[in-house]
Amino acid sequence: MTAVPDGPEDRLRRFATIWSRAVFPVTTTAATRPEFEAELLPLARRLSEVLRARAFDAEEAKALGAALVDAHCTDPEALSRTLDCVDAYLVLYCGQDGDQEALRARSARMQHAMAAGFAAALRARTLAEQEAIAQAALRAQGVVAEALHASEARFRAVFEGAAIGIGIAGLDGTVLQVNQALTRMFGLTDQALRGRNVMEWTHPDDAPQTWRLYEELVRGEREHYHLEKAFYRPDGTVLWTNLTVSLLRDADGSPQYQLALMEDTTERRLLNLRLRYEATHDALTGLPNRSFFFERLEKALNAGEGRRFGLCYLDLDGFKTVNDSLGHAAGDRLLVEVADRLQSCATAPGEMVARLGGDEFVALTTGPDTGHEVDELAGRIMNALLAPISIDGRELTVRGSIGVVEGPAGERSAAEVLRSADITMYRAKSAGGNRYELADPEADARVITRHGLTTALPAALERGEFFIEYQPLVHLGDGGVRGAEALVRWLHPQHGVLGPDRFIPLAEHTGLIVPLGRWVLEQSVRQARAWRERYGDGDGGAADPLRINVNLSPCQLTHPGLVQDTVEILERTGVAPDALCLEVTESALIGADDGLLKPLRQLAEMGVDIALDDFGTGYSNLANLRRLPVSVLKLDRSFTQSMQRFPADPVDLKIVEGIVSLAHSLDLTVTVEGVETGAQADQLRVLGCDTAQGWYYARPGPPEHLHDLALADATG
């Protein structure tokens, strides 16, 4: 490997030397190679500055491409060789100690901008030459006889020395004269071109108006026309040109000749095609990328009445494990193999496969009847993933989850279709993966609503959209109100009042349950203080002081600030700990270790009651009750539901009687939820339950309702 010079200036000169040696053979300059190198050195310095600048200057890069044209590097090969030098050597000699990946990305953007600048400058120069040639041709016809020889000489100099191809033909289409640039473009001699008729140069890619414009010109109905046209060379290759054809008239104004000016755009067209391909295809797999897929999907969705589409959204199951265990190189090879298999599944007309990014792929099918076709396509994809893939000597099993969306064109946007497919794919993944599911509008709506609620939760707490309703706890012996359970509600601006089942799981998932739970606790404790101030602490009025029950979620239970927050709220509100009961679900304490139980024990030692909520829905491990710091056992409403039948199931009654007896032997109070009838209340009282709550007594409501119940209890 050749050693790179040490000094930045030496590196820069070395790059300029390499650049000049590559480009000099295809320039039209009269300078020597060292002189040409000296001319390129300032451009190399500007390239280096653009490469290492803090922000990318696209206009400066375009100006450098235009400077090539000013340096007489007008041959398209000069641009190609320049871009190759920039790609291969600019970062090496001028990148210094910068981030190599970032510098190479910057170098690629510079190449695109330079190509654009070169094309624009060459076009401007070409148009200037075209104008000069046309003016020279007109002047050559209109000069007086004394200056005819000089004018023809000037025209001949421009004609022969122009960088673009020039041809003159009669009105019948016979070629009369061509310059050297045109013979080089076609790869033919002067003699081979002269005498041919322009009507022979048709091409399948000719624009529909090409020959109509030609006929109008030779009839004298138009002075010129300009378009892009392709020609076949003798070796079968295609020459692409920017073609301008002008009509030359004699001194009397009658049409006499036609003048064709051709700019060779083949290399530029190939470069644009390459750039277009790179911009629309995934670099790793070669599949169409996200932007190209969206173009096709938009086209399919706007195909018109009677057309339909089908889309399969694939996400590989467990792909992260492959990257983490075998490395990203192995993961990339896996993606390439999966892409090849998917490509083989979509070969029918109207079908395509694309990579959206990561391990996400999409397959699209279009046509008049895609319901059956997309189902078959999803099946082919699942079958294609069955065979293991060999990576580094390991046989990897590939699994995937697919969301399938099918429907008529014109009803939904591309973003809506892709969102539905994404939601459906995650539904397939939640069902165990390695399967495909069909989109369900109702399921989509639930997920979208769930997402909307999730994103609205933080602002809802700040705006005070939550409020608390209270359901009384009634003593089964004397019917007196002993307290209430606090139940949080959300007054949503669009959806109205939402129960906790709609948003508590979302708050758990986002972590907002901690500040929300702290707010509920403080508001509930303040309400308990108001009740105690109104009804006393047991000295008069109600037989026992009114207490407040507040639910604790599993996330709150593990939060390190639980004990401190509770103590601060009790102290700040001036409420004794025995006015508070914290309810924890049985499922949250199944298998709980001492670390999880420690904060509950601390709270219980302070005098806060701990209730085991929803008892009977988990394992109901009665022996486990001895080690839990609970003082209240809340039986789940499933026990009371069985008592709605008459006569009640004697087995259920024995189970409840046994639980109550065991709880009392452990000094636990038993509360029953879901009491809806007087018969249930009487039966539970006979079985020995202490307190109950349910619609039989009162539905959850504002604190004033509890005031009324408590007042009625106090006055008898």
Side-chain angles (χ1 to χ4, degrees):
M1 180 180 294
T2 304
V4 178
D6 293 331
E9 189 64 22
D10 291 335
R11 292 169 177 260
L12 188 66
R13 291 184 178 278
R14 180 57 180 160
F15 173 76
T17 300
I18 295 173
W19 187 10
S20 67
R21 288 175 177 171
V23 176
F24 183 76
V26 292
T27 63
T28 58
T29 180
T32 64
R33 213 276 307 162
E35 292 172 343
F36 181 70
E37 179 180 335
E39 189 175 358
L40 289 185
L41 182 58
L43 301 184
R45 183 170 288 105
R46 290 168 62 187
L47 279 174
S48 176
E49 291 170 356
V50 173
L51 176 70
R52 293 181 289 104
R54 180 180 297 274
F56 177 59
D57 189 346
E59 294 302 319
E60 175 64 3
K62 289 181 180 179
L64 287 168
L68 286 175
V69 177
D70 295 337
H72 306 290
C73 301
T74 56
D75 193 304
E77 183 66 15
L79 174 62
S80 178
R81 295 188 182 189
T82 293
L83 295 181
D84 289 342
C85 286
V86 171
D87 184 64
Y89 300 106
L90 183 61
V91 173
L92 176 65
Y93 286 97
C94 301
Q96 297 184 11
D97 297 326
D99 183 344
Q100 295 298 299
E101 289 297 326
L103 290 173
R104 291 195 178 280
R106 173 69 63 82
S107 174
R109 295 179 65 185
M110 289 171 62
Q111 294 173 50
H112 294 174
M114 288 178 67
F118 179 90
L122 187 59
R123 183 172 183 80
R125 175 169 172 161
T126 299
L127 292 175
E129 288 183 344
Q130 290 175 351
E131 181 64 23
I133 292 168
Q135 291 299 323
L138 292 173
R139 285 195 301 272
Q141 293 183 25
V143 294
V144 293
E146 299 86 53
L148 182 60
H149 179 74
S151 297
E152 289 179 348
R154 286 195 300 270
F155 175 75
R156 180 57 56 187
V158 174
F159 185 83
E160 294 296 341
I164 62 174
I166 305 174
I168 298 176
L171 296 181
D172 62 353
T174 303
V175 178
L176 303 176
Q177 288 184 320
V178 294
N179 68 348
Q180 292 184 5
L182 191 64
T183 60
R184 288 196 301 269
M185 288 165 57
F186 276 90
L188 292 170
T189 64
D190 180 276
Q191 292 78 10
L193 280 172
R194 281 190 295 174
R196 293 189 61 176
N197 194 286
V198 297
M199 297 293 292
E200 302 173 14
W201 285 323
T202 60
H203 190 275
D205 291 333
D206 284 344
Q209 73 273 22
T210 299
W211 296 105
R212 175 178 59 80
L213 294 174
Y214 173 80
E215 293 293 340
E216 292 176 358
L217 182 130
V218 297
R219 289 198 304 264
E221 297 173 2
R222 68 169 49 247
E223 296 302 313
H224 58 80
Y225 64 88
H226 176 85
L227 47 74
E228 186 177 37
K229 176 164 171 46
F231 297 88
Y232 282 118
R233 293 190 180 101
D235 60 2
T237 60
V238 177
L239 166 68
W240 280 93
T241 67
N242 273 332
L243 174 65
T244 299
V245 182
S246 300
L247 181 65
L248 300 181
R249 299 177 181 270
D250 60 18
D252 297 328
S254 300
Q256 189 170 18
Y257 302 106
Q258 50 179 313
L259 173 70
L261 308 177
M262 296 185 190
E263 176 195 2
D264 186 350
T265 61
T266 306
E267 291 294 330
R268 190 163 74 232
R269 182 181 178 87
L270 292 176
L271 176 61
N272 289 336
L273 291 175
R274 187 183 77 180
L275 296 178
R276 165 67 179 169
Y277 181 87
E278 292 176 354
T280 58
H281 286 74
D282 177 51
L284 176 65
T285 63
L287 292 178
N289 60 14
R290 175 183 287 269
S291 63
F292 191 13
F293 166 73
F294 264 92
E295 288 181 14
R296 285 288 300 275
L297 181 58
E298 290 279 5
K299 183 177 179 181
L301 295 177
N302 295 312
E305 187 176 351
R307 305 294 293 180
R308 301 182 69 86
F309 75 94
L311 186 145
C312 298
Y313 191 119
L314 167 68
D315 184 271
L316 300 183
D317 299 333
F319 177 72
K320 184 177 184 298
T321 304
V322 176
N323 274 342
D324 293 344
S325 59
L326 301 181
H328 288 275
D332 287 348
R333 290 198 293 274
L334 177 66
L335 291 175
V336 171
E337 176 62 28
V338 169
D340 290 343
R341 295 187 182 187
L342 296 181
Q343 189 71 65
S344 67
C345 295
T347 56
E351 293 182 346
M352 75 169 293
V353 173
R355 182 190 179 201
L356 296 185
D359 59 334
E360 296 179 339
F361 298 85
V362 284
L364 177 67
T365 182
T366 58
D369 182 17
T370 53
H372 178 67
E373 294 172 2
V374 74
D375 188 67
E376 286 190 343
L377 180 59
R380 291 199 301 271
I381 292 174
M382 297 302 297
N383 289 333
L385 299 179
L386 288 176
I389 295 177
S390 179
I391 303 292
D392 294 336
R394 295 179 174 86
E395 294 290 325
L396 301 182
T397 300
V398 182
R399 294 162 51 94
S401 300
I402 300 177
V404 178
V405 179
E406 193 275 336
E411 292 188 355
R412 288 179 284 182
S413 68
E416 291 171 335
V417 169
L418 203 63
R419 180 175 62 181
S420 177
D422 188 35
I423 292 171
T424 308
M425 179 271 292
Y426 276 106
R427 184 151 51 85
K429 202 175 280 286
S430 299
N434 199 33
R435 58 189 293 146
Y436 68 89
E437 294 280 351
L438 300 178
D440 178 3
E442 293 184 2
D444 289 358
R446 288 194 297 270
V447 171
I448 293 170
T449 301
R450 177 185 175 91
H451 176 72
L453 294 178
T454 302
T455 55
L457 268 171
L461 185 57
E462 294 176 3
R463 290 195 295 260
E465 294 177 2
F466 293 98
F467 67 97
I468 300 174
E469 292 186 330
Y470 300 89
Q471 186 171 39
L473 293 163
V474 178
H475 192 274
L476 286 169
D478 58 19
V481 177
R482 294 295 186 266
E485 180 180 358
L487 299 169
V488 64
R489 306 286 191 253
W490 183 2
L491 182 57
H492 193 278
Q494 283 81 40
H495 301 289
V497 176
L498 302 179
D501 58 312
R502 293 287 302 277
F503 62 87
I504 290 297
L506 307 181
E508 281 269 3
H509 179 70
T510 61
L512 192 71
I513 191 65
V514 173
L516 177 60
R518 189 184 301 116
W519 178 84
V520 171
L521 179 61
E522 181 158 7
Q523 297 300 312
S524 303
V525 170
R526 289 186 183 278
Q527 185 58 58
R529 176 181 176 178
W531 284 332
R532 290 202 165 195
E533 289 176 348
R534 183 168 183 176
Y535 303 113
D537 292 332
D539 298 330
D544 290 311
L546 294 178
R547 299 157 27 128
I548 190 71
N549 286 30
V550 179
N551 292 284
L552 279 185
S553 73
C555 185
Q556 290 175 274
L557 190 60
T558 58
H559 190 265
L562 172 62
V563 176
Q564 181 179 353
D565 287 346
T566 305
V567 171
E568 289 179 353
I569 290 172
L570 291 173
E571 291 179 349
R572 188 164 55 247
T573 55
V575 173
D578 64 358
L580 175 63
C581 177
L582 297 177
E583 298 188 8
V584 184
T585 60
E586 177 191 14
S587 59
L589 295 183
I590 292 176
D593 57 16
D594 291 338
L596 184 63
L597 296 178
K598 182 178 178 180
L600 294 181
R601 288 198 176 99
Q602 290 176 329
L603 292 169
E605 291 168 358
M606 291 167 43
V608 176
D609 280 330
I610 307 298
L612 189 61
D613 196 13
D614 297 336
F615 186 79
T617 58
Y619 292 111
S620 301
N621 188 347
L622 301 179
N624 197 37
L625 290 175
R626 294 177 59 92
R627 58 183 290 269
L628 298 179
V630 299
S631 54
V632 180
L633 199 66
K634 292 193 71 173
L635 293 183
D636 185 66
R637 65 181 60 249
S638 59
F639 290 102
T640 58
Q641 288 174 348
S642 66
M643 296 180 187
Q644 292 179 350
R645 299 185 300 271
F646 184 83
D649 189 331
V651 175
D652 289 341
L653 297 179
K654 285 292 184 182
I655 292 174
V656 173
E657 184 179 15
I659 293 175
V660 172
S661 176
L662 176 62
H664 286 166
S665 69
L666 296 174
D667 293 327
L668 302 179
T669 300
V670 178
T671 298
V672 185
E673 299 178 301
V675 178
E676 298 183 3
T677 66
Q680 288 175 303
D682 292 340
Q683 186 69 66
L684 291 168
R685 182 174 59 255
V686 170
L687 293 174
C689 297
D690 300 294
T691 56
Q693 65 185 97
W695 287 7
Y696 172 64
Y697 302 105
R699 297 194 179 198
E704 292 77 15
H705 289 187
L706 192 74
H707 292 171
D708 298 338
L709 289 173
L711 185 60
D713 174 37
T715 58

